[in-house]
Coordinates of all heavy atoms in Angstrom, one line a residue:
M1 N -34.1 21.8 36.2 CA -33.5 20.5 35.8 C -34.0 20.0 34.4 O -33.2 19.5 33.6 CB -33.7 19.5 36.9 CG -33.0 18.2 36.7 SD -31.2 18.5 36.8 CE -30.6 16.9 36.3
S2 N -35.3 20.2 34.2 CA -35.8 19.7 32.9 C -35.3 20.6 31.8 O -35.2 20.1 30.6 CB -37.3 19.7 32.9 OG -37.8 21.1 33.1
R3 N -34.9 21.8 32.0 CA -34.4 22.7 31.0 C -33.0 22.1 30.6 O -32.6 22.1 29.4 CB -34.2 24.1 31.5 CG -35.5 24.9 31.4 CD -35.2 26.3 31.6 NE -36.4 27.1 31.3 CZ -36.5 28.4 31.3 NH1 -35.4 29.1 31.5 NH2 -37.6 29.0 31.0
V4 N -32.2 21.7 31.5 CA -30.9 21.1 31.2 C -31.0 19.9 30.4 O -30.3 19.7 29.4 CB -30.1 20.8 32.5 CG1 -28.8 20.1 32.2 CG2 -29.9 22.1 33.3
L5 N -32.0 19.0 30.7 CA -32.2 17.8 29.9 C -32.6 18.2 28.5 O -32.2 17.6 27.5 CB -33.3 16.9 30.6 CG -32.8 16.0 31.7 CD1 -33.9 15.3 32.3 CD2 -31.7 15.1 31.2
F6 N -33.5 19.2 28.4 CA -34.0 19.6 27.1 C -32.8 20.1 26.2 O -32.7 19.7 25.1 CB -35.0 20.8 27.3 CG -35.4 21.5 26.0 CD1 -36.2 20.9 25.1 CD2 -34.8 22.7 25.7 CE1 -36.5 21.5 23.9 CE2 -35.1 23.3 24.5 CZ -36.0 22.7 23.6
W7 N -31.9 20.9 26.8 CA -30.8 21.4 26.0 C -29.8 20.3 25.6 O -29.3 20.3 24.5 CB -30.1 22.5 26.7 CG -30.9 23.8 26.7 CD1 -31.6 24.4 27.7 CD2 -31.1 24.6 25.5 NE1 -32.2 25.5 27.2 CE2 -32.0 25.7 25.9 CE3 -30.7 24.5 24.2 CZ2 -32.4 26.7 25.0 CZ3 -31.1 25.5 23.3 CH2 -32.0 26.6 23.7
I8 N -29.6 19.4 26.6 CA -28.7 18.2 26.3 C -29.3 17.4 25.1 O -28.6 17.0 24.1 CB -28.5 17.4 27.5 CG1 -27.6 18.1 28.5 CG2 -27.9 16.0 27.1 CD1 -27.5 17.4 29.9
L9 N -30.6 17.1 25.2 CA -31.2 16.4 24.1 C -31.2 17.1 22.8 O -30.9 16.6 21.7 CB -32.7 16.0 24.4 CG -32.9 14.9 25.4 CD1 -34.3 14.7 25.8 CD2 -32.4 13.6 24.8
L10 N -31.4 18.4 22.8 CA -31.4 19.2 21.6 C -30.0 19.3 21.0 O -29.9 19.1 19.7 CB -31.9 20.7 21.9 CG -32.0 21.6 20.7 CD1 -33.1 21.1 19.8 CD2 -32.3 23.0 21.1
V11 N -29.0 19.5 21.8 CA -27.6 19.5 21.2 C -27.3 18.1 20.7 O -26.7 18.0 19.6 CB -26.6 19.9 22.3 CG1 -25.2 19.6 21.9 CG2 -26.8 21.3 22.7
G12 N -27.7 17.0 21.4 CA -27.5 15.7 20.9 C -28.1 15.4 19.5 O -27.5 14.9 18.6
L13 N -29.4 15.9 19.4 CA -30.1 15.7 18.1 C -29.4 16.5 17.0 O -29.3 16.0 15.9 CB -31.5 16.1 18.3 CG -32.4 15.1 19.0 CD1 -33.8 15.7 19.2 CD2 -32.5 13.8 18.3
V14 N -29.0 17.7 17.3 CA -28.3 18.5 16.3 C -27.0 17.8 15.8 O -26.7 17.7 14.6 CB -28.0 19.9 16.8 CG1 -27.1 20.7 15.9 CG2 -29.4 20.7 17.0
V15 N -26.2 17.3 16.8 CA -25.0 16.6 16.4 C -25.3 15.4 15.6 O -24.6 15.2 14.5 CB -24.2 16.2 17.7 CG1 -23.1 15.3 17.4 CG2 -23.7 17.5 18.4
L16 N -26.3 14.6 15.9 CA -26.7 13.5 15.1 C -27.1 13.9 13.7 O -26.7 13.2 12.7 CB -27.8 12.7 15.8 CG -27.3 11.8 17.0 CD1 -28.5 11.2 17.6 CD2 -26.3 10.8 16.6
A17 N -27.9 14.9 13.6 CA -28.3 15.4 12.3 C -27.2 15.9 11.4 O -27.1 15.5 10.2 CB -29.4 16.5 12.5
V18 N -26.2 16.6 12.1 CA -25.1 17.1 11.3 C -24.2 15.9 10.8 O -23.8 15.9 9.7 CB -24.3 18.1 12.1 CG1 -22.9 18.4 11.5 CG2 -25.1 19.4 12.3
R19 N -24.0 14.9 11.7 CA -23.2 13.8 11.3 C -23.9 13.0 10.1 O -23.2 12.6 9.2 CB -23.1 12.8 12.5 CG -22.0 13.2 13.4 CD -21.8 12.1 14.4 NE -20.8 12.4 15.4 CZ -20.5 11.7 16.5 NH1 -21.1 10.5 16.7 NH2 -19.5 12.0 17.3
A20 N -25.2 12.8 10.2 CA -25.9 12.1 9.2 C -25.8 12.9 7.8 O -25.6 12.3 6.8 CB -27.4 11.9 9.5
K21 N -25.9 14.2 7.9 CA -25.8 15.0 6.7 C -24.4 14.9 6.1 O -24.2 14.8 4.9 CB -26.2 16.5 7.0 CG -26.2 17.4 5.8 CD -27.4 17.0 5.0 CE -27.6 18.0 3.8 NZ -28.6 17.6 2.9
L22 N -23.4 15.0 6.9 CA -22.0 14.9 6.4 C -21.7 13.5 5.8 O -21.1 13.4 4.8 CB -21.0 15.2 7.6 CG -20.9 16.7 8.0 CD1 -20.0 16.8 9.2 CD2 -20.5 17.5 6.9
K23 N -22.3 12.5 6.5 CA -22.1 11.2 5.9 C -22.7 11.0 4.6 O -22.2 10.4 3.7 CB -22.7 10.2 6.9 CG -22.3 8.7 6.6 CD -22.8 7.8 7.7 CE -22.4 6.4 7.5 NZ -22.9 5.5 8.5
A24 N -23.9 11.6 4.4 CA -24.7 11.5 3.1 C -23.9 12.3 2.1 O -23.8 11.8 0.9 CB -26.1 12.1 3.3
L25 N -23.3 13.4 2.4 CA -22.6 14.2 1.4 C -21.3 13.4 1.0 O -20.9 13.4 -0.1 CB -22.2 15.6 2.0 CG -23.3 16.6 2.1 CD1 -22.9 17.8 2.8 CD2 -23.9 16.9 0.7
G26 N -20.6 12.8 2.0 CA -19.4 12.1 1.7 C -19.7 10.9 0.8 O -18.9 10.6 -0.1
A27 N -20.8 10.2 1.1 CA -21.2 9.0 0.2 C -21.5 9.5 -1.2 O -21.2 8.8 -2.2 CB -22.3 8.3 0.8
R28 N -22.1 10.7 -1.3 CA -22.4 11.2 -2.7 C -21.2 11.6 -3.5 O -21.2 11.5 -4.7 CB -23.4 12.4 -2.5 CG -24.4 12.5 -3.7 CD -25.3 13.6 -3.5 NE -26.1 13.5 -2.3 CZ -26.8 14.5 -1.7 NH1 -26.6 15.7 -2.1 NH2 -27.5 14.3 -0.6
R29 N -20.1 12.0 -2.8 CA -19.0 12.5 -3.5 C -18.1 11.3 -4.0 O -17.2 11.5 -4.8 CB -18.1 13.4 -2.6 CG -18.7 14.8 -2.5 CD -17.9 15.6 -1.6 NE -18.6 16.9 -1.4 CZ -18.3 17.7 -0.3 NH1 -17.4 17.4 0.5 NH2 -19.0 18.8 -0.2
Q30 N -18.3 10.2 -3.4 CA -17.4 9.0 -3.8 C -17.7 8.7 -5.3 O -18.9 8.6 -5.7 CB -17.6 7.8 -2.9 CG -17.1 8.0 -1.5 CD -17.3 6.8 -0.6 OE1 -18.1 6.0 -1.0 NE2 -16.7 6.8 0.5
P31 N -16.7 8.3 -6.0 CA -17.0 8.0 -7.4 C -17.7 6.6 -7.5 O -17.6 5.8 -6.6 CB -15.6 7.8 -8.0 CG -14.7 7.6 -6.9 CD -15.3 8.3 -5.7
P32 N -18.6 6.4 -8.5 CA -19.3 5.2 -8.6 C -18.3 4.0 -8.7 O -17.3 4.1 -9.3 CB -20.2 5.4 -9.8 CG -19.5 6.4 -10.6 CD -18.8 7.3 -9.6
V33 N -18.7 2.9 -8.2 CA -17.9 1.7 -8.2 C -17.9 1.2 -9.7 O -19.0 1.0 -10.2 CB -18.4 0.6 -7.3 CG1 -17.6 -0.6 -7.4 CG2 -18.4 1.2 -5.9
Q34 N -16.7 1.1 -10.3 CA -16.7 0.6 -11.6 C -16.3 -0.9 -11.6 O -15.6 -1.3 -10.8 CB -15.6 1.4 -12.4 CG -15.9 2.8 -12.5 CD -14.8 3.6 -13.3 OE1 -13.7 3.0 -13.5 NE2 -15.0 4.8 -13.6
P35 N -16.9 -1.6 -12.6 CA -16.6 -3.0 -12.6 C -15.1 -3.2 -13.0 O -14.6 -2.4 -13.7 CB -17.5 -3.6 -13.7 CG -17.8 -2.4 -14.6 CD -17.8 -1.2 -13.6
P36 N -14.5 -4.3 -12.6 CA -13.1 -4.5 -12.9 C -13.0 -4.7 -14.4 O -13.9 -5.3 -15.0 CB -12.7 -5.8 -12.1 CG -14.0 -6.4 -11.8 CD -15.0 -5.3 -11.7
P37 N -11.9 -4.2 -15.0 CA -11.7 -4.4 -16.5 C -11.6 -5.8 -16.8 O -11.0 -6.6 -16.1 CB -10.4 -3.6 -16.8 CG -9.7 -3.6 -15.5 CD -10.7 -3.5 -14.4
R38 N -12.2 -6.1 -18.0 CA -12.1 -7.5 -18.4 C -10.7 -7.9 -18.8 O -10.1 -7.1 -19.6 CB -13.0 -7.8 -19.6 CG -14.5 -7.8 -19.2 CD -15.3 -8.1 -20.4 NE -16.7 -8.2 -20.0 CZ -17.7 -8.6 -20.9 NH1 -17.4 -9.0 -22.1 NH2 -18.9 -8.6 -20.5
S39 N -10.2 -8.9 -18.3 CA -8.8 -9.3 -18.6 C -8.9 -10.1 -19.9 O -9.8 -10.8 -20.2 CB -8.2 -10.1 -17.5 OG -9.0 -11.3 -17.3
E40 N -7.8 -9.9 -20.7 CA -7.7 -10.6 -21.9 C -7.6 -12.1 -21.6 O -7.2 -12.5 -20.6 CB -6.5 -10.1 -22.7 CG -6.6 -8.7 -23.1 CD -7.8 -8.5 -24.1 OE1 -8.0 -9.3 -25.0 OE2 -8.4 -7.4 -24.0
A41 N -8.0 -12.9 -22.6 CA -7.8 -14.4 -22.4 C -6.3 -14.7 -22.2 O -5.5 -14.1 -22.9 CB -8.3 -15.1 -23.7
P42 N -6.1 -15.6 -21.3 CA -4.7 -15.9 -21.1 C -4.0 -16.6 -22.3 O -4.7 -17.2 -23.1 CB -4.7 -16.9 -19.9 CG -6.1 -17.4 -19.9 CD -7.0 -16.3 -20.4
A43 N -2.7 -16.3 -22.5 CA -2.1 -16.8 -23.7 C -2.1 -18.4 -23.7 O -2.0 -19.0 -24.7 CB -0.6 -16.3 -23.7
A44 N -2.2 -19.0 -22.5 CA -2.2 -20.4 -22.4 C -3.5 -21.0 -23.1 O -3.5 -22.2 -23.5 CB -2.1 -20.9 -21.0
A45 N -4.5 -20.2 -23.3 CA -5.8 -20.7 -23.9 C -5.6 -20.9 -25.4 O -6.4 -21.6 -26.0 CB -6.9 -19.7 -23.6
I46 N -4.6 -20.2 -26.0 CA -4.3 -20.4 -27.4 C -3.5 -21.7 -27.6 O -2.5 -21.8 -27.0 CB -3.6 -19.2 -28.0 CG1 -4.4 -17.9 -27.8 CG2 -3.3 -19.4 -29.5 CD1 -3.7 -16.7 -28.1
E47 N -4.1 -22.5 -28.5 CA -3.4 -23.8 -28.6 C -3.0 -24.0 -30.1 O -3.7 -23.6 -31.0 CB -4.4 -24.9 -28.2 CG -3.7 -26.3 -28.1 CD -4.7 -27.3 -27.4 OE1 -5.8 -26.9 -27.0 OE2 -4.3 -28.5 -27.4
N48 N -1.9 -24.7 -30.3 CA -1.5 -25.0 -31.6 C -2.4 -26.0 -32.3 O -3.0 -26.8 -31.6 CB -0.1 -25.6 -31.6 CG 1.0 -24.5 -31.3 OD1 0.7 -23.3 -31.6 ND2 2.0 -24.9 -30.7
M49 N -2.6 -25.9 -33.6 CA -3.4 -26.8 -34.3 C -2.6 -27.8 -35.1 O -1.4 -27.6 -35.4 CB -4.3 -26.0 -35.3 CG -5.2 -25.0 -34.6 SD -6.4 -25.7 -33.5 CE -7.6 -26.3 -34.7
A50 N -3.2 -29.0 -35.3 CA -2.5 -30.0 -36.1 C -3.5 -30.4 -37.2 O -4.7 -30.2 -37.1 CB -2.1 -31.2 -35.3
Q51 N -2.9 -31.0 -38.3 CA -3.8 -31.5 -39.4 C -3.7 -33.0 -39.5 O -2.6 -33.6 -39.5 CB -3.4 -30.8 -40.7 CG -4.3 -31.2 -41.8 CD -3.9 -30.4 -43.1 OE1 -2.8 -29.9 -43.2 NE2 -4.8 -30.4 -44.1
C52 N -4.8 -33.6 -39.6 CA -4.8 -35.1 -39.7 C -4.1 -35.5 -41.0 O -4.5 -35.0 -42.1 CB -6.2 -35.6 -39.7 SG -6.4 -37.4 -39.8
A53 N -3.2 -36.4 -41.0 CA -2.5 -36.9 -42.2 C -3.4 -37.7 -43.1 O -3.1 -37.8 -44.3 CB -1.3 -37.7 -41.8
H54 N -4.5 -38.2 -42.6 CA -5.4 -39.0 -43.4 C -6.6 -38.2 -44.0 O -6.7 -38.1 -45.3 CB -6.0 -40.1 -42.6 CG -6.9 -41.0 -43.4 ND1 -6.5 -41.9 -44.4 CD2 -8.3 -41.1 -43.4 CE1 -7.5 -42.5 -44.9 NE2 -8.6 -42.0 -44.4
C55 N -7.3 -37.4 -43.2 CA -8.5 -36.7 -43.7 C -8.3 -35.2 -43.9 O -9.1 -34.6 -44.4 CB -9.7 -37.0 -42.8 SG -9.6 -36.3 -41.2
G56 N -7.2 -34.7 -43.3 CA -6.9 -33.3 -43.5 C -7.6 -32.4 -42.5 O -7.5 -31.2 -42.5
L57 N -8.4 -33.0 -41.5 CA -9.1 -32.2 -40.5 C -8.1 -31.5 -39.6 O -7.0 -32.0 -39.2 CB -9.9 -33.1 -39.7 CG -10.7 -32.5 -38.5 CD1 -11.9 -31.7 -39.1 CD2 -11.2 -33.5 -37.5
H58 N -8.4 -30.2 -39.3 CA -7.5 -29.5 -38.3 C -8.1 -29.6 -36.9 O -9.4 -29.5 -36.8 CB -7.5 -28.0 -38.7 CG -6.6 -27.7 -39.9 ND1 -7.1 -27.8 -41.2 CD2 -5.3 -27.4 -40.1 CE1 -6.2 -27.6 -42.1 NE2 -5.1 -27.3 -41.4
F59 N -7.3 -29.9 -35.9 CA -7.8 -30.1 -34.6 C -6.7 -29.7 -33.6 O -5.5 -29.5 -34.0 CB -8.1 -31.6 -34.4 CG -7.0 -32.5 -34.8 CD1 -6.1 -33.0 -33.8 CD2 -6.9 -32.9 -36.1 CE1 -5.1 -33.8 -34.2 CE2 -5.9 -33.8 -36.5 CZ -5.0 -34.2 -35.5
P60 N -7.0 -29.5 -32.3 CA -5.9 -29.1 -31.4 C -4.8 -30.1 -31.3 O -5.1 -31.3 -31.3 CB -6.7 -29.0 -30.0 CG -8.1 -28.8 -30.4 CD -8.3 -29.5 -31.7
A61 N -3.6 -29.6 -31.3 CA -2.4 -30.5 -31.3 C -2.4 -31.4 -30.1 O -1.8 -32.5 -30.1 CB -1.2 -29.7 -31.4
S62 N -3.0 -31.0 -29.0 CA -3.0 -31.8 -27.8 C -3.8 -33.0 -27.9 O -3.7 -34.0 -27.2 CB -3.5 -31.0 -26.6 OG -4.8 -30.6 -26.8
E63 N -4.8 -33.0 -28.9 CA -5.6 -34.2 -29.1 C -5.1 -35.1 -30.2 O -5.8 -36.1 -30.6 CB -7.0 -33.7 -29.4 CG -7.7 -32.9 -28.3 CD -9.0 -32.3 -28.7 OE1 -9.6 -32.7 -29.8 OE2 -9.5 -31.5 -28.0
A64 N -3.9 -34.8 -30.7 CA -3.4 -35.6 -31.9 C -3.0 -37.0 -31.5 O -2.5 -37.2 -30.4 CB -2.2 -34.8 -32.5
V65 N -3.2 -37.9 -32.4 CA -2.8 -39.3 -32.2 C -1.5 -39.4 -33.1 O -1.6 -39.2 -34.4 CB -3.8 -40.3 -32.7 CG1 -3.3 -41.7 -32.6 CG2 -5.1 -40.1 -31.8
H66 N -0.4 -39.6 -32.5 CA 0.9 -39.7 -33.3 C 1.1 -41.1 -33.7 O 1.1 -42.0 -32.9 CB 2.0 -39.2 -32.4 CG 1.8 -37.8 -31.9 ND1 2.0 -36.7 -32.7 CD2 1.4 -37.3 -30.7 CE1 1.7 -35.6 -32.0 NE2 1.4 -36.0 -30.8
A67 N 1.4 -41.3 -35.0 CA 1.8 -42.6 -35.5 C 2.7 -42.4 -36.7 O 2.4 -41.6 -37.5 CB 0.5 -43.4 -35.8
D68 N 3.7 -43.2 -36.8 CA 4.7 -43.2 -37.8 C 5.0 -41.8 -38.3 O 5.1 -41.6 -39.5 CB 4.3 -44.2 -39.0 CG 2.9 -43.8 -39.6 OD1 2.6 -42.6 -39.7 OD2 2.2 -44.8 -40.0
G69 N 5.3 -40.9 -37.4 CA 5.7 -39.6 -37.7 C 4.7 -38.6 -38.2 O 5.0 -37.5 -38.6
H70 N 3.4 -39.0 -38.2 CA 2.3 -38.2 -38.6 C 1.3 -37.9 -37.5 O 1.3 -38.7 -36.5 CB 1.5 -38.8 -39.8 CG 2.4 -39.0 -41.0 ND1 2.7 -38.0 -41.9 CD2 3.0 -40.1 -41.5 CE1 3.5 -38.4 -42.8 NE2 3.7 -39.7 -42.7
D71 N 0.5 -36.9 -37.6 CA -0.5 -36.6 -36.6 C -1.9 -37.0 -37.2 O -2.1 -36.8 -38.4 CB -0.6 -35.1 -36.3 CG 0.6 -34.6 -35.6 OD1 1.2 -35.4 -34.9 OD2 1.0 -33.4 -35.7
Y72 N -2.7 -37.6 -36.4 CA -4.0 -38.1 -36.9 C -5.1 -37.6 -35.9 O -4.8 -37.4 -34.7 CB -4.1 -39.6 -36.9 CG -3.1 -40.2 -38.0 CD1 -1.8 -40.6 -37.6 CD2 -3.5 -40.4 -39.3 CE1 -1.0 -41.1 -38.5 CE2 -2.6 -40.9 -40.2 CZ -1.4 -41.2 -39.9 OH -0.5 -41.8 -40.8
C73 N -6.3 -37.5 -36.4 CA -7.4 -36.9 -35.6 C -8.0 -38.0 -34.7 O -8.6 -37.6 -33.7 CB -8.5 -36.3 -36.5 SG -9.3 -37.5 -37.5
S74 N -7.8 -39.2 -35.0 CA -8.4 -40.3 -34.2 C -7.5 -41.6 -34.4 O -6.8 -41.7 -35.3 CB -9.8 -40.6 -34.7 OG -9.8 -41.0 -36.0
P75 N -7.7 -42.5 -33.4 CA -6.9 -43.8 -33.5 C -7.3 -44.5 -34.8 O -6.5 -45.2 -35.4 CB -7.3 -44.5 -32.3 CG -7.8 -43.5 -31.3 CD -8.4 -42.4 -32.1
G76 N -8.6 -44.3 -35.3 CA -9.0 -45.0 -36.5 C -8.3 -44.5 -37.7 O -7.9 -45.3 -38.5
H77 N -8.1 -43.2 -37.8 CA -7.3 -42.7 -38.9 C -5.8 -43.0 -38.8 O -5.1 -43.1 -39.8 CB -7.6 -41.2 -39.1 CG -8.9 -40.9 -39.7 ND1 -9.3 -39.6 -40.0 CD2 -9.9 -41.7 -40.1 CE1 -10.5 -39.6 -40.6 NE2 -10.9 -40.9 -40.6
A78 N -5.4 -43.2 -37.6 CA -3.9 -43.5 -37.4 C -3.7 -44.9 -38.0 O -2.5 -45.2 -38.4 CB -3.6 -43.5 -35.9
R79 N -4.7 -45.8 -38.0 CA -4.5 -47.1 -38.6 C -4.5 -47.1 -40.1 O -4.0 -48.0 -40.7 CB -5.6 -48.1 -38.0 CG -5.3 -48.5 -36.6 CD -6.3 -49.6 -36.2 NE -7.0 -49.0 -34.9 CZ -8.2 -48.7 -34.8 NH1 -9.1 -48.9 -35.8 NH2 -8.7 -48.2 -33.7
L80 N -5.2 -46.1 -40.7 CA -5.3 -46.0 -42.1 C -4.1 -45.3 -42.7 O -3.4 -44.5 -42.0 CB -6.6 -45.2 -42.5 CG -7.9 -45.8 -42.0 CD1 -9.0 -44.9 -42.3 CD2 -8.1 -47.2 -42.7
P81 N -3.8 -45.5 -43.9 CA -2.6 -44.9 -44.5 C -2.8 -43.4 -44.7 O -3.9 -42.9 -45.0 CB -2.4 -45.6 -45.9 CG -3.8 -46.1 -46.2 CD -4.4 -46.4 -44.9
P82 N -1.7 -42.6 -44.6 CA -1.8 -41.1 -44.8 C -2.0 -40.9 -46.3 O -1.5 -41.6 -47.1 CB -0.5 -40.6 -44.3 CG 0.5 -41.7 -44.3 CD -0.3 -43.0 -44.1
R83 N -2.7 -39.8 -46.6 CA -2.9 -39.4 -48.0 C -1.8 -38.5 -48.5 O -1.3 -37.7 -47.8 CB -4.2 -38.7 -48.1 CG -5.4 -39.6 -48.0 CD -6.7 -38.8 -48.4 NE -7.8 -39.7 -48.1 CZ -9.1 -39.3 -48.2 NH1 -9.4 -38.0 -48.6 NH2 -10.1 -40.1 -48.0
Ligands
ZN1 ZN1 -8.6 -37.8 -39.7

């Protein structure tokens, strides 16, 4: 009876060893994980620029202060006359 247990254990160990070896070989063959490619900056990040009618400073158009048909960099310059 002990011989039967010995052979069952031996076959089980061999099966486990072969499985572990195959798993290690399979993991080695997989290509290395590559980082995702960097995506370009979205087009929405590019913003139009405006020029202050008083001081000539260029700034994002979304921050412009509009007064009498001109763009200004700040409310203070909007009160001053354009150059
Ligand atoms: Zn200005």
Side-chain angles (χ1 to χ4, degrees):
M1 185 65 186
S2 63
R3 278 192 174 186
V4 173
L5 280 176
F6 169 77
W7 284 108
I8 288 174
L9 282 175
L10 184 65
V11 169
L13 286 174
V14 168
V15 168
L16 286 177
V18 168
R19 277 189 182 176
K21 186 69 175 175
L22 289 176
K23 191 174 182 181
L25 287 175
R28 211 179 295 162
R29 285 183 187 157
Q30 288 179 349
V33 177
Q34 295 179 351
R38 288 186 178 186
S39 60
E40 296 296 322
I46 300 172
E47 191 173 354
N48 289 332
M49 300 296 283
Q51 185 176 15
C52 179
H54 180 73
C55 67
L57 179 76
H58 289 85
F59 53 93
S62 63
E63 300 174 10
V65 177
H66 303 283
D68 56 38
H70 298 284
D71 292 333
Y72 296 93
C73 65
S74 63
H77 281 183
R79 281 184 237 117
L80 298 172
R83 288 188 186 177

